[in-house]
Amino acid sequence: MFGLFKRDPAKKLQKAYEQKLEQAMQAARNGDMRTNASLTEEAEALRREIEKTKIG
């Protein structure tokens, strides 16, 4: 019953993941491949966290 009001942690992670991918895309468009790689790596770490929350 009280789980109804509990926030979904995967939703917050998903939003952060999408923002990181957007930032990586903008960096790639600007020709900053080093920043693109860094942001993509951070996004992938967030994706793994999302998968963990869905499984557990």
Side-chain angles (χ1 to χ4, degrees):
M1 179 175 156
F2 293 107
L4 175 68
F5 299 109
K6 188 175 180 183
R7 294 185 185 240
D8 185 15
K11 192 173 186 180
K12 184 177 179 180
L13 289 172
Q14 181 67 32
K15 186 173 181 179
Y17 172 71
E18 291 171 4
Q19 287 176 340
K20 287 291 181 186
L21 288 179
E22 180 71 27
Q23 291 171 352
M25 180 184 67
Q26 292 299 324
R29 284 184 179 173
N30 292 333
D32 190 355
M33 291 298 128
R34 187 169 292 173
T35 302
N36 177 32
S38 174
L39 290 170
T40 302
E41 184 178 334
E42 291 175 21
E44 288 303 311
L46 287 170
R47 185 188 58 78
R48 286 190 294 273
E49 287 296 318
I50 292 168
E51 292 297 320
K52 285 181 186 177
T53 60
K54 287 182 180 179
I55 293 172

